[in-house]
Amino acid sequence: RDQVYPNFALNKLITQMDTAALRPQSIVQQLRNTVESSEVLDPQDIDALLMLLQQKKQTMRNTERQFEMSILRQFLSMARSKKAAAIEALRKELHMVEGDLDYVADQLEQSAPSDDSYGDSRQLSKAHMLPPYDRVRTSDTTGAQVPNDVSADDSTAMGAETTASAAIAAQTPALDRAKHSRRVDEHYKDLESYYFNTRMRGVGEEGLDEFMETLTTVARYERFRQVATLRYGDSTASTAIVASIEFDRDEEIFAVAGVARKIKIYDYANVVQQADSWNEFAAGKTQQQPLRRLAGRHEWWNREGEATEDEPALTSTMMQYPVAEYTNRSKISCLSFNPYIKAQLACSDYDGTVSLWDVSAGIPTMSLGEHEKRAWSLDFSNVDPTRLCSGSDDGKVKIWTTNRRSSVMTIEGKANVCCVRFNPLHGNILSFGSADHNVHCFDLRSPKQPLCVLRGHRKAVSYTRFLTPDEIISASTDSSLKLWNLRTQECVRTYTGHSNEKNFVGLTTSGGDWIACGSENNTMYAYYRNLSHPAVTHRFGNCNPVTGAEQAEDDPSLFVSAVCWKNKTNTLLSANSQGIIKVLEMV
């Protein structure tokens, strides 16, 4: 070590050996060394040593066993307390259900006529033979309209058929109960969870009435009936994607726009009337002439000669033409009607331009071009008809007025802005969804800081809608919708069932209760606000772009791209990436 040129590797090895030599040996090693030495050991000493080691071993085992039993006792005590709490909660829930069954039985007895078959309903309910969903209200003026109700005029015309109608009506409750039972069974898990949540919150009949409103709504509607079918764009599917559908102020006309750069205006009443007329005409022809089958389809038209196998099947459809059509300079991403000025329509496009149109004159009245990238969304304020907002890929939300060509305010976002929406009651409050996975809410009187940031989505937020002034629905490409309470800034419910990972598939609300969105499996989904899974769905199918005939094979590239409720009704407009627009009625 003291040499001029020391060997560092040898010095390190010597140091390690010295350290090992100085390290005290373990008891086992000392005992092993003693036994293996040449020293003579007394047998009695060996017996004593073995006994001592055996006692030590037993002591260690007892200690380990006590530790194991202590942990097991702690777990079993916890499990017993949790199960006891679960049994107590289940006992309370069962008591609550039995009480509600008695209440329903009493109500049925009071409302049933003297010869009604529910005379023994109390005994049936206690025997669990009468489920609570058998009590379905037949009229509800506050909710969505019930389809196929008999009007006053119809009842007058049926005076001569009273006896027959009564006989048919006698069979109707049983059929309705079967339908309602099937609907309740489909949504039982959601309904059960909501029932106990509302009954725990509500007192007496209040909680039960709140649940019953949801139950009867879910039981009433089971599908969408197709009322009319329209087409947007030409027969090339790649240029026919519908990006937006919007009703005007009075919901008399609706506008359709998309990547074909066209804005088409339709008269809603005329569309429905023409569809009904065509259906009646087709039905009459079907009765007058014998039916033929070709490629699995019924046909009522006359045709000379025999049809060949290669001949395409014709479809009994009628082309619906718009009342007006305008062409924009670029692909259109969003539409918004002014809630006060009926003829004023705004659109945003892929060039980042916001354009105002006079629908009655068919001309653009103003072009607002401050966005640097594609503008995805815009919205008019319900409170101030001269104010609108827009959001863009440049990460900015701009506030405009219809009497100025420059924006009056800019909110800088941290990522691409995918959607913007004004609060329907508070004109200074707006929300926007962003590619940062969050929903941002701002007060325009203090735009430097957001009122709140709602976090919970795992991917970009593509749509936001105010379900009520205090609640927001957000859609994301994580295939979920979320309901947020702005007062608590918490997620109230998450809706899942549709598929959305990359495309804009539309989002719309109606009456504060219904939510609808598209999906990337070419299906439209309608959710009821109190249930986490879809209440009603409608599959578009794959239509031949020329004949309009349904094709058996599915096209995975098709998706529902736009939806719009006719507010506070059970009517919905929906369109897909193939340019097929459907007027649907929930029945």
Side-chain angles (χ1 to χ4, degrees):
R1 295 181 182 180
D2 299 331
Q3 296 175 357
V4 178
Y5 302 103
N7 190 328
F8 293 101
L10 180 60
N11 291 340
K12 183 177 180 181
L13 179 60
I14 293 174
T15 302
Q16 292 176 352
M17 293 178 64
D18 292 344
T19 304
L22 296 175
R23 186 182 304 151
Q25 293 182 339
S26 64
I27 297 177
V28 176
Q29 187 63 36
Q30 293 177 11
L31 183 60
R32 183 186 300 274
N33 294 337
T34 302
V35 173
E36 293 177 351
S37 65
S38 58
E39 183 179 353
V40 179
L41 297 177
D42 192 319
Q44 294 182 352
D45 294 339
I46 295 177
D47 292 340
L49 182 60
L50 289 175
M51 183 178 297
L52 183 63
L53 291 174
Q54 189 67 25
Q55 292 176 354
K56 181 66 175 178
K57 179 180 178 180
Q58 188 63 36
T59 301
M60 293 175 63
R61 283 185 174 179
N62 291 340
T63 303
E64 181 67 19
R65 188 66 174 173
Q66 288 181 353
F67 173 76
E68 293 173 350
M69 291 295 104
S70 175
I71 294 296
L72 180 58
R73 182 176 61 180
Q74 182 180 359
F75 167 77
L76 293 176
S77 299
M78 185 181 301
R80 181 181 61 183
S81 62
K82 288 184 178 295
K83 291 300 179 182
I87 291 174
E88 182 63 25
L90 187 61
R91 185 180 292 111
K92 290 181 180 179
E93 290 177 353
L94 182 60
H95 177 73
M96 184 184 303
V97 172
E98 290 176 344
D100 288 345
L101 278 172
D102 290 340
Y103 169 77
V104 171
D106 291 339
Q107 294 298 310
L108 287 172
E109 288 179 353
Q110 295 175 13
S111 60
S114 57
D115 59 344
D116 188 77
S117 60
Y118 288 114
D120 198 26
S121 58
R122 177 181 295 275
Q123 286 74 12
L124 291 175
S125 68
K126 290 184 177 180
H128 296 178
M129 295 296 290
L130 182 63
Y133 49 81
D134 274 357
R135 182 175 181 262
V136 179
R137 293 179 290 183
T138 57
S139 63
D140 188 354
T141 58
T142 61
Q145 298 177 0
V146 180
N148 302 324
D149 277 350
V150 179
S151 64
D153 295 337
D154 294 335
S155 61
T156 304
M158 293 190 302
E161 303 177 2
T162 304
T163 305
S165 300
I168 296 175
Q171 301 175 3
T172 302
L175 298 176
D176 288 345
R177 285 197 296 271
K179 168 189 170 183
H180 298 158
S181 298
R182 183 177 66 254
R183 291 288 295 158
V184 170
D185 184 63
E186 292 174 357
H187 300 278
Y188 178 76
K189 289 186 178 180
D190 266 351
L191 289 170
E192 181 188 34
S193 175
Y194 183 67
Y195 167 77
F196 288 112
N197 288 338
T198 54
R199 293 298 283 119
M200 293 299 180
R201 294 197 315 266
V203 179
E205 299 178 10
E206 180 182 353
L208 187 60
D209 289 341
E210 182 181 348
F211 169 74
M212 188 165 55
E213 182 178 356
T214 296
L215 178 65
T216 52
T217 301
V218 171
R220 180 179 296 128
Y221 301 115
E222 64 175 350
R223 65 183 179 87
F224 278 102
R225 180 178 69 87
Q226 186 170 314
V227 177
T229 301
L230 314 172
R231 294 185 190 176
Y232 174 77
D234 53 28
S235 61
T236 305
S238 61
T239 62
I241 298 176
V242 176
S244 182
I245 307 176
E246 287 293 324
F247 273 104
D248 74 328
R249 179 194 66 187
D250 302 321
E251 296 190 329
E252 296 175 348
I253 63 174
F254 62 91
V256 181
V259 299
R261 302 188 297 113
K262 296 181 182 297
I263 302 175
K264 295 187 176 184
I265 309 297
Y266 292 91
D267 184 288
Y268 175 77
N270 186 50
V271 167
V272 175
Q273 182 181 1
Q274 289 188 30
D276 291 342
S277 299
W278 173 258
N279 292 334
E280 293 175 1
F281 176 72
K285 284 292 184 179
T286 303
Q287 295 175 0
Q288 293 174 13
Q289 301 186 17
L291 291 174
R292 307 176 58 209
R293 282 190 179 272
L294 177 63
R297 303 186 66 85
H298 288 291
E299 298 178 1
W300 49 260
W301 44 81
N302 285 322
R303 196 160 43 183
E304 297 181 359
E306 293 296 330
T308 63
E309 295 182 357
D310 296 334
E311 184 179 356
L314 299 178
T315 309
S316 55
T317 58
M318 181 175 60
M319 181 65 70
Q320 295 262 17
Y321 291 96
V323 296
E325 182 176 318
Y326 318 121
T327 301
N328 194 54
R329 292 177 298 181
S330 180
K331 297 177 182 179
I332 300 171
S333 58
C334 187
L335 296 173
S336 181
F337 271 102
N338 191 305
Y340 289 88
I341 305 173
K342 183 179 178 67
Q344 191 171 60
L345 173 69
C347 73
S348 58
D349 61 35
Y350 283 30
D351 287 341
T353 302
V354 174
S355 302
L356 300 182
W357 291 78
D358 185 336
V359 175
S360 59
I363 58 173
T365 58
M366 186 178 293
S367 180
L368 311 172
E370 293 186 9
H371 282 298
E372 301 169 4
K373 295 182 180 180
R374 181 178 303 180
W376 282 118
S377 178
L378 80 165
D379 185 43
F380 271 105
S381 169
N382 284 340
V383 179
D384 183 355
T386 66
R387 178 184 286 180
L388 70 155
C389 60
S390 62
S392 167
D393 269 343
D394 60 11
K396 299 176 182 178
V397 174
K398 289 188 175 291
I399 311 300
W400 314 85
T401 60
T402 57
N403 53 14
R404 290 183 57 178
R405 293 188 177 274
S406 59
S407 61
V408 297
M409 184 183 300
T410 299
I411 299 175
E412 297 282 351
K414 297 181 179 180
N416 306 47
V417 176
C418 304
C419 53
V420 289
R421 207 71 175 181
F422 274 112
N423 189 294
L425 185 61
H426 307 289
N428 291 312
I429 306 298
L430 66 79
S431 69
F432 66 86
S434 175
D436 65 357
H437 309 176
N438 301 325
V439 178
H440 304 260
C441 296
F442 277 82
D443 188 335
L444 300 183
R445 295 166 295 187
S446 179
K448 293 184 178 180
Q449 295 293 332
L451 284 176
C452 62
V453 179
L454 307 176
R455 297 179 172 87
H457 283 294
R458 301 188 307 274
K459 291 186 178 180
V461 176
S462 51
Y463 293 95
T464 62
R465 294 290 187 271
F466 281 90
L467 191 63
T468 67
D470 295 327
E471 294 175 311
I472 285 180
I473 285 286
S474 62
S476 169
T477 50
D478 61 7
S479 296
S480 73
L481 310 179
K482 288 184 180 292
L483 173 62
W484 306 88
N485 187 310
L486 291 181
R487 295 185 180 275
T488 62
Q489 299 181 20
E490 294 179 350
C491 178
V492 178
R493 190 176 300 278
T494 299
Y495 305 89
T496 57
H498 63 286
S499 175
N500 181 207
E501 296 182 356
K502 58 181 180 179
N503 296 300
F504 286 90
V505 296
L507 179 68
T508 183
T509 62
S510 176
D513 290 324
W514 286 98
I515 309 150
C517 68
S519 177
E520 289 169 358
N521 58 0
N522 207 24
T523 302
M524 193 274 300
Y525 291 79
Y527 295 89
Y528 191 69
R529 62 165 296 149
N530 296 326
L531 304 182
S532 299
H533 296 89
V536 190
T537 64
H538 178 80
R539 184 164 182 79
F540 264 69
N542 185 11
C543 294
N544 186 299
V546 178
T547 66
E550 290 282 344
Q551 301 178 127
E553 64 275 9
D554 289 333
D555 187 347
S557 66
L558 297 180
F559 60 94
V560 175
S561 55
V563 288
C564 181
W565 280 106
K566 194 171 188 290
N567 195 32
K568 296 183 179 179
T569 70
N570 53 346
T571 300
L572 177 72
L573 304 180
S574 184
N576 74 346
S577 56
Q578 202 174 24
I580 304 299
I581 307 163
K582 292 187 178 183
V583 180
L584 303 172
E585 181 183 21
M586 192 163 54
V587 295

